[in-house]
Amino acid sequence: MEFDLNALRKSDLVIVNFNDPKSVGTISELAIAYDMKIPIVGINKDGYKLHPWLTEFVGRMCYSIRE
């Protein structure tokens, strides 16, 4: 966990693959990135219905890798 959070804190951009929208680690990392004002791009290619907080964390949501 510490390794991942350290990498997150040094990031300029976070890209989130929402293929497992119930991942506790992903949710925690999103909250930290959002709080640190690191831009977040989400990819929801399977069109999962996401909790409103998850979509609020994301500055741009894409529905394909190409997008």
Side-chain angles (χ1 to χ4, degrees), residues 6-64:
N6 189 44
L8 173 67
R9 289 183 194 105
K10 294 178 181 179
S11 298
D12 296 320
L13 172 71
V14 173
I15 300 173
V16 180
N17 184 348
F18 283 109
N19 65 334
D20 185 4
K22 295 180 180 158
S23 168
V24 174
T26 300
I27 294 168
S28 300
E29 291 171 351
L30 278 173
I32 292 167
Y34 183 83
D35 190 53
M36 294 184 68
K37 300 186 181 356
I38 299 170
I40 302 168
V41 175
I43 301 171
N44 187 6
K45 69 180 184 74
D46 295 329
Y48 285 115
K49 181 169 172 61
L50 301 173
H51 189 282
W53 279 36
L54 294 178
T55 57
E56 286 298 317
F57 284 141
V58 175
R60 164 120 173 131
M61 185 68 76
C62 301
Y63 297 95
S64 70

